[in-house]
Amino acid sequence: MDRYTLSLDSRRRVAQGLIVAAALFILFGLFKLQIIQREEMTQLAENNRIRVVPVEAQRGSMLDREGRIIVSNRPSYTVSVVPAEEVKGRTLNNLSRIIGFDTLQLRKRIRKTQVTPYQPAPVRKDIPFDIVAVLEEQNSEFPGVSYQLDQVRMYDDSLAAEAFTGHVGEVSEQEMAKAVAGMYRMGATIGKKGLEKQYDQPLRGMEGTEFIEVTAFGEILGPYEGREPVQPVAGSDLLLTIDEDVQRTAVESLDSFCCGAVVAIDPRNGEILCMTSDPGFDPNVFSGIVTDSLWQQISNDSTHPLLNRPINGLYPPGSTAKLLTLGAGLESGVIDENTSFKSCGGGYQFGNRYFKCWEKRGHGTTTAIHAVEMSCDVYFYQLGLRVGVDQLSQYYSLCGFSRPTGIDLPNESSGLNPNSKYYDRRYGKNGWTKALVLNNAIGQGEILVTPLQLAQFYAGLANWGKVYRPHVVRGIRKPNGQESLVRPELSFTLPFSTRTLSILREGLRLVTEGGRGTARRLRNELYTVCGKTGTAQNPHGKDHSWFVGFAPIENPEIVVCTIVENAGHGSEVAAPIVGKVIETYMKKKLGIPLQVAQTATLETKP
Amino acid sequence: MMTRIDYRALDWKLIGAFLALSLIGIVTIFSAQFYADSAYKQTYFLRQSLWLAIALMAFLAVLHAPQRLFDAGAYTFYGVALVLLVAVLAVGHSRMGASRWFDIGPFSVSPSDLGKVALLLTLSRFFAYTRLPIASKRRLGLSAALALIPMALVLKQPDLGTSLVFMVLLFALWFWSGLSPWYMLLILSPLISLVAAFYWLSWVLYFVVLIAFLGILRPGLLFSIVMMLFNLGFGMITPMIWNHLKDYQKMRILVFLDPGYDPRGAGYQIIQSKIAIGSGGILGKGFLNGSQARLDYLPERHTDFIFSVFGEEFGLLGTLIVIGLFLYIFYRCLGIAVRCRSKFASNVIFGAISIFFFQFIVNIGMTLGLMPVTGLPLPFVSYGGTALLTSWVLVGLIVISEYHQHEY
């Protein structure tokens, strides 16, 4: 026997010792409960009802970059039924008369939300005070019914911010099943979309618990002293990168159109300054219990209010993609900035097809930067042919298209970036011709991008190739005031040299400042601004109108990307919206009051 | 095939103790669900009776089985159990988010119970026949691997409580085959370090203890250094992982480690269980008179909280009888394990009572509010067919080993 082993006899003694220790341990527990605490426990068992009442933690607010509240809570009443105290045939009948659910629905709600028969099972949230008053006055009519004061989410609907805030709702059975046991209570509120979903854990805090002693008749005796109440821990606030003024300008200028999106990024760090999707929905309606008919109405709306256009709307980028094609051409060496092609006479013959330029009169012979200035399609058709389908597609990938930007919002779309493999699959080998690249070169055809991806690309152009991951949350503030800030994160670098970037930026400058620029009307005396128009053909109707712009040109601080669906030319519809958003931002920066800005608006030059 | 045995020479006192516990179980299950609102629940005791009949037949079958069957077939049983444990993850019937059962006709069968027996036989055989030195790394490593595979599968279900039973079985047989408990502690020390490192002060204190421990045990310089490095390494992982977790992930871990963290679910049951047992007093409220149980306060009252129902109705007098029966069993079986000449049989008996002992202390500790809620049933007493069946198979092995105790 060495020191690692134990003789049989010692083992036996160790095991006997364990048995004796266990016996003492359990006998101690039994004596304590059944002899010492017998009286107390008997008392509890007799008038026993310890009601376990969850105490909701206050959900964190969302504040804009200047600390203005965008999402908060308001007090509301929730009606619950304690199943064990319910009188069959009376409680639910009376209750259904005043709160608008029939007894069957009430029964279903109770079954869904009850934890034990002695805990209040919430049946309806956010009920008006006059109903609470009835419950209070005629409480004998409603045996087993109780109500609690708690909180309901409140969104500022005028900000049309649901594109990033998302909304909350009641936890679903699937969500319960996915979470760890004890994470959510049936009937609890949980983030369903947007930031509410992405940051649900910090926002929700931790629910507390109260133990209340009640008699067999439901009379409340007071807190149960045998167990400490668990205090709720309030949720953390989200400090957003959004600027409420910029957001409001975007919403107001988009308001007169049916459908579209605006997103603005600070190219220096990826902070999202505003983001809106039009038409939206009022996220407040989801805070209560969503009835089937309301759900039907929202989800069957032909304008798709539930589609989050900035991150899930998929559109061909139109002429805004010409900068990418030009970058690809310069970078791969197929052209330099002085290269010109066959003159534009309003179109380009390729094989047996004639590809039109948007300008029927033609643009004549141009060089690269002037082709951008005038958005000459014919120039880019010929450039696209030289770059080639696959090389162009590669540049699309390198510029961040066809993959999520990694913004801190759930369920972002990737878009579509076709290459020859894709076309082989789609049309069969040899089932397609090089003519497709002509479309791709001007952002038409099968290429699909989200407004956010396009904004991200232009943020890269504005920031000399460095693309920061777009994000809406600047920091999280715990209830004790402790803030943890999100550090800007370099996402990727555009595949363009500084030289290429300066040529592209010169092209962008000419769009607003050049003599034949397509967005000359954005010029103003306060600051420099540049950008690119886009008009995306749409097989289902009128063209979509794009504009992506940034300012100031020398040291860009804001990139704004706008799409207005079925609205026609980019220069006519989208460009003025971008202009107004940039104007609000720049005026704030320059210290010019915004009210004045609304009337004495931009000096538009011919 | 059937082995003849002399029934008069069996240990009837011991069998009687097990049978008494099983019958107490059926009576208490009857009482626990007597006032239940569904007819299905009211017949739990009938199903348990049927299972007891099957279990007793299995017990007889074990007595009459060829003497070397369990010894020789250990690895085969182990293989079959592993297949079943994998299968239940794929096709098992799930309740409350865990897939633990197969439905066979009206019965649900839980393969983790079969896994316990299979691992018991396998480890007993391994330790009985291996020639490797007791503290050799290969011996410890191989046996740990045998235990960790089924344990991981059970953990995947997820069933933390039962997977702990597999762990206990491994330690129990390490101990019973002669490994010093101090040395076992040393082997497990990196895991302790992992936990101690949650707070720097506790980690420093832990290292003081560890160094003192190494000084007393003197396991060799190289070994000590390697152990220290392991402890340092594991301890340093903890804060690194912890700090990189998001708040909600931290919370998940806390809920996992301590289900009592959830005061409305598990915590509520504990309060009600304490009230039930405490209000039973010395003599109890009498059969079918437990108001706690009747009023539906104890949600798992026929399984995990059966002892609370019993304690309420039969008081201290009743609970002392149950505790006494268990202690008698443990003490007597320990004696048999010491006397048995066959090393395999001795291992099986010690392993079997270790399982019973662990579940006994964890379950009753839980109902008394002295231990966290783990969801382990009380052996022989709690409702559960497969558990009862496998328990009685173990009783068969204990009784027949005692019968042959003088043989090698």
Side-chain angles (χ1 to χ4, degrees):
Chain A
M1 287 286 148
D2 57 29
R3 61 175 164 269
Y4 298 143
T5 58
L6 211 59
S7 69
L8 183 64
D9 206 40
S10 322
R11 277 179 255 154
R12 178 198 188 140
R13 262 181 278 129
V14 170
Q16 281 172 343
L18 270 177
I19 294 173
V20 171
L24 290 177
F25 178 65
I26 283 173
L27 288 179
F28 158 76
L30 279 176
F31 277 112
K32 191 176 148 214
L33 278 177
Q34 296 193 306
I35 293 180
I36 300 169
Q37 299 181 329
R38 189 178 66 91
E39 289 282 313
E40 183 189 332
M41 293 294 167
T42 310
Q43 200 79 53
L44 281 172
E46 267 164 21
N47 51 6
N48 181 349
R49 304 254 156 124
I50 295 167
R51 214 184 256 174
V52 187
V53 184
V55 186
E56 272 196 4
Q58 173 152 323
R59 199 171 169 87
S61 304
M62 298 187 199
L63 301 106
D64 92 331
R65 60 187 306 124
E66 287 169 19
R68 289 169 287 191
I69 288 174
I70 292 181
V71 181
S72 58
N73 308 293
R74 66 179 160 79
S76 84
Y77 286 97
T78 299
V79 170
S80 306
V81 174
V82 181
E85 292 165 16
E86 170 207 336
V87 176
K88 294 245 153 87
R90 192 150 138 237
T91 304
L92 295 193
N93 287 351
N94 291 347
L95 194 58
S96 76
R97 272 208 326 268
I98 65 164
I99 72 165
F101 281 160
D102 63 39
T103 49
L104 211 69
Q105 279 172 312
L106 284 173
R107 177 68 60 210
K108 249 164 84 184
R109 291 283 312 157
I110 293 173
R111 207 167 296 146
K112 198 176 157 198
T113 56
Q114 101 169 54
V115 181
T116 70
Y118 300 92
Q119 284 172 252
V123 293
R124 177 134 209 187
K125 277 190 181 149
D126 200 14
I127 58 157
F129 185 75
D130 49 323
I131 292 182
V132 175
V134 173
L135 290 175
E136 177 68 46
E137 278 161 24
Q138 314 172 9
N139 60 1
S140 59
E141 294 294 303
F142 305 99
V145 173
S146 65
Y147 57 85
Q148 298 87 39
L149 183 64
D150 52 25
Q151 306 223 313
V152 155
R153 210 59 169 155
M154 186 168 67
Y155 301 89
D156 183 349
D157 192 30
S158 71
L159 277 178
E162 63 281 358
F164 58 86
T165 63
H167 62 83
V168 294
E170 191 171 279
V171 63
S172 71
E173 271 161 48
Q174 294 96 300
E175 284 160 338
M176 285 285 281
K178 258 198 262 169
V180 166
M183 280 264 276
Y184 304 116
R185 175 171 50 84
M186 269 301 184
T189 298
I190 176 178
K192 293 280 186 178
K193 274 181 125 180
L195 294 174
E196 296 276 21
K197 182 176 179 184
Q198 185 89 359
Y199 292 91
D200 189 55
Q201 291 303 331
L203 281 171
R204 70 182 304 109
M206 250 154 83
E207 222 171 47
T209 311
E210 272 177 2
F211 299 87
I212 294 172
E213 221 179 308
V214 289
T215 64
F217 306 102
E219 190 189 334
I220 293 172
L221 297 175
Y224 166 55
E225 281 167 14
R227 211 179 144 104
E228 283 288 303
V230 181
Q231 294 300 331
V233 181
S236 304
D237 292 337
L238 295 185
L239 311 174
L240 307 187
T241 59
I242 301 291
D243 184 314
E244 192 185 308
D245 301 312
V246 176
Q247 174 81 11
R248 213 174 275 285
T249 308
V251 172
E252 278 163 11
S253 35
L254 193 59
D255 205 34
S256 50
F257 303 98
C258 158
C259 308
V262 179
V263 53
I265 307 186
D266 185 335
R268 296 168 299 175
N269 47 29
E271 293 182 352
I272 300 282
L273 297 166
C274 77
M275 185 188 243
T276 187
S277 181
D278 181 68
F281 54 89
D282 179 1
N284 290 302
V285 303
F286 291 98
S287 301
I289 289 157
V290 184
T291 57
D292 287 346
S293 60
L294 178 65
W295 180 251
Q296 290 286 325
Q297 188 199 325
I298 295 176
S299 52
N300 290 344
D301 190 326
S302 63
T303 59
H304 307 296
L306 290 177
L307 173 65
N308 191 354
R309 289 171 165 83
I311 63 168
N312 300 121
L314 295 174
Y315 309 93
S319 302
T320 59
K322 284 175 182 164
L323 275 291
L324 189 146
T325 311
L326 180 55
L330 292 167
E331 207 58 43
S332 63
V334 300
I335 56 162
D336 61 34
E337 70 259 45
N338 300 317
T339 309
S340 44
F341 298 116
K342 235 188 250 169
S343 144
C344 168
Y348 179 71
Q349 186 71 39
F350 181 76
N352 55 2
R353 269 185 70 189
Y354 187 68
F355 287 81
K356 278 190 240 165
C357 183
W358 70 270
E359 176 67 85
K360 289 189 207 100
R361 287 170 294 171
H363 293 105
T365 308
T366 55
T367 55
I369 50 170
H370 294 292
V372 172
E373 176 187 359
M374 300 178 290
S375 199
C376 174
D377 292 338
V378 171
Y379 186 92
F380 284 97
Y381 290 145
Q382 302 175 73
L383 176 55
L385 280 171
R386 300 217 185 166
V387 175
V389 175
D390 283 326
Q391 183 157 246
L392 188 61
S393 160
Q394 228 166 33
Y395 273 93
Y396 266 106
S397 299
L398 291 172
C399 290
F401 294 100
S402 70
R403 67 184 135 94
T405 64
I407 190 173
D408 48 352
L409 292 174
N411 307 326
E412 191 188 356
S413 301
S414 298
L416 181 66
N417 172 15
N419 56 13
S420 54
K421 264 194 201 135
Y422 169 86
Y423 288 128
D424 283 345
R425 255 202 325 272
R426 174 110 201 244
Y427 301 110
K429 268 205 162 41
N430 308 322
W432 55 282
T433 69
K434 263 165 84 184
L436 289 171
V437 78
L438 273 67
N439 279 330
N440 295 351
I442 61 160
Q444 297 290 353
E446 274 140 292
I447 289 169
L448 294 174
V449 306
T450 65
L452 181 65
Q453 285 173 332
L454 199 56
Q456 174 185 250
F457 171 59
Y458 274 77
L461 295 180
N463 197 39
W464 293 102
K466 286 201 166 60
V467 179
Y468 283 91
R469 188 175 62 80
H471 56 280
V472 191
V473 172
R474 191 167 59 81
I476 293 176
R477 188 169 66 201
K478 294 213 165 125
N480 62 13
Q482 185 195 336
E483 290 183 7
S484 53
L485 295 181
V486 173
R487 242 183 290 153
E489 184 188 312
L490 191 65
S491 182
F492 63 96
T493 310
L494 293 183
F496 302 144
S497 66
T498 313
R499 186 171 163 70
T500 302
L501 285 167
S502 17
I503 298 167
L504 298 180
R505 290 169 67 131
E506 179 59 11
L508 286 173
R509 189 185 67 81
L510 290 177
V511 173
T512 53
E513 299 192 346
R516 299 182 69 183
T518 51
R520 291 187 301 271
R521 63 164 82 188
L522 291 192
R523 280 185 74 173
N524 66 85
E525 282 163 352
L526 291 173
Y527 50 87
T528 53
V529 55
C530 67
K532 183 73 195 81
T533 54
T535 306
Q537 283 159 20
N538 169 19
H540 309 295
K542 260 180 92 179
D543 298 344
H544 297 320
S545 174
W546 278 110
F547 192 84
V548 200
F550 56 79
I553 297 181
E554 306 73 41
N555 188 17
E557 293 180 18
I558 179 169
V559 172
V560 185
C561 172
T562 293
I563 181 160
V564 184
E565 291 177 14
N566 316 112
H569 275 285
S571 56
E572 287 154 17
V573 182
I577 295 176
V578 171
K580 280 184 211 156
V581 174
I582 291 181
E583 181 192 4
T584 299
Y585 178 87
M586 290 304 293
K587 287 205 163 159
K588 276 187 79 171
K589 177 182 147 74
L590 299 171
I592 299 169
L594 290 178
Q595 288 314 87
V596 185
Q598 303 296 343
T599 48
T601 186
L602 294 167
E603 286 285 314
T604 46
K605 299 230 164 173
Chain B
M1 277 305 280
M2 231 176 78
T3 320
R4 292 187 141 276
I5 51 168
D6 176 8
Y7 279 103
R8 280 167 306 176
L10 292 178
D11 188 346
W12 286 105
K13 270 196 222 159
L14 187 61
I15 299 171
F18 283 116
L19 200 59
L21 285 177
S22 305
L23 293 174
I24 286 175
I26 289 172
V27 168
T28 317
I29 291 165
F30 174 75
S31 170
Q33 297 292 4
F34 186 71
Y35 297 98
D37 50 8
S38 81
Y40 180 79
K41 284 184 182 168
Q42 286 172 357
T43 58
Y44 275 149
F45 81 99
L46 275 178
R47 299 151 68 83
Q48 183 79 347
S49 310
L50 200 55
W51 271 110
L52 181 59
I54 297 171
L56 290 177
M57 282 190 278
F59 167 71
L60 281 177
V62 171
L63 293 188
H64 288 286
Q67 227 183 313
R68 306 229 72 102
L69 174 71
F70 294 96
D71 195 342
Y75 292 142
T76 317
F77 291 138
Y78 182 76
V80 172
L82 283 192
V83 170
L84 287 175
L85 281 173
V86 171
V88 79
L89 286 177
V91 296
H93 169 74
S94 63
R95 277 178 222 160
M96 297 186 291
S99 42
R100 298 180 186 171
W101 292 272
F102 284 122
D103 280 340
I104 300 172
F107 296 113
S108 300
V109 174
S110 111
S112 43
D113 285 322
L114 305 176
K116 283 182 209 166
V117 178
L119 181 67
L120 170 64
L121 294 175
T122 301
L123 287 180
S124 299
R125 187 188 154 113
F126 178 79
F127 287 123
Y129 298 119
T130 179
R131 294 241 175 81
L132 295 165
I134 284 173
S136 85
K137 288 176 201 74
R138 268 190 70 188
R139 185 172 182 279
L140 298 177
L142 279 172
S143 51
L146 284 171
L148 285 176
I149 298 166
M151 182 178 156
L153 289 170
V154 171
L155 203 54
K156 187 95 186 27
Q157 288 180 355
D159 186 348
L160 178 65
T162 308
S163 69
L164 281 179
V165 175
F166 286 84
M167 210 64 198
V168 164
L169 193 50
L170 175 70
F171 295 155
L173 289 183
W174 271 359
F175 167 74
W176 195 242
S177 59
L179 193 64
S180 151
W182 301 116
Y183 190 71
M184 272 164 61
L185 262 181
L186 200 58
I187 295 170
L188 296 173
S189 64
L191 292 178
I192 306 172
S193 171
L194 196 72
V195 177
F198 270 85
Y199 184 56
W200 69 271
L201 189 63
S202 65
W203 201 43
V204 170
L205 282 175
Y206 165 72
F207 262 85
V208 173
V209 173
L210 181 70
I211 290 166
F213 195 65
L214 284 171
I216 296 165
L217 209 63
R218 294 185 180 281
L221 186 63
L222 184 69
F223 186 80
S224 301
I225 292 171
V226 170
M227 261 356 264
M228 284 298 285
L229 287 178
F230 263 113
N231 272 284
L232 270 172
F234 271 71
M236 266 158 17
I237 297 172
T238 313
M240 262 160 53
I241 300 174
W242 190 250
N243 288 336
H244 276 89
L245 292 178
K246 301 213 165 81
D247 279 351
Y248 75 92
Q249 287 168 322
K250 290 181 188 176
M251 194 177 136
R252 283 185 186 194
I253 292 175
L254 290 176
V255 171
F256 182 72
L257 289 177
D258 177 15
Y261 208 70
D262 165 26
R264 277 186 299 283
Y268 184 76
Q269 286 170 301
I270 293 276
I271 299 173
Q272 296 301 346
S273 168
K274 283 169 79 173
I275 294 177
I277 296 175
S279 65
I282 295 171
L283 296 173
K285 298 178 186 170
F287 185 53
L288 295 184
N289 275 332
S291 65
Q292 285 289 109
R294 192 173 65 209
L295 284 173
D296 233 5
Y297 281 118
L298 288 164
E300 298 291 328
R301 57 191 185 276
H302 61 294
T303 55
D304 297 356
F305 286 94
I306 190 85
F307 187 73
S308 324
V309 176
F310 184 80
E312 182 179 21
E313 298 190 346
F314 299 99
L316 187 62
L317 219 60
T319 52
L320 284 181
I321 290 174
V322 170
I323 306 288
L325 283 170
F326 271 108
L327 291 177
Y328 169 76
I329 288 168
F330 297 143
Y331 195 79
R332 185 155 185 107
C333 289
L334 181 64
I336 303 170
V338 173
R339 283 198 306 274
C340 259
R341 287 190 172 179
S342 154
K343 238 178 157 184
F344 173 76
S346 173
N347 286 344
V348 168
I349 296 169
F350 190 78
I353 56 167
S354 302
I355 298 176
F356 295 152
F357 181 73
F358 180 68
Q359 297 202 178
F360 161 79
I361 192 93
V362 169
N363 177 279
I364 293 187
M366 167 184 82
T367 59
L368 296 177
L370 302 173
M371 285 216 169
V373 176
T374 37
L376 279 178
L378 187 60
F380 299 98
V381 185
S382 283
Y383 177 75
T386 331
L388 191 66
L389 175 67
T390 49
S391 296
W392 272 95
V393 167
L394 296 181
V395 175
L397 286 170
I398 294 170
V399 169
I400 198 68
S401 301
E402 187 190 13
Y403 181 79
H404 294 300
Q405 60 177 300
H406 301 298
E407 298 171 24
Y408 279 100

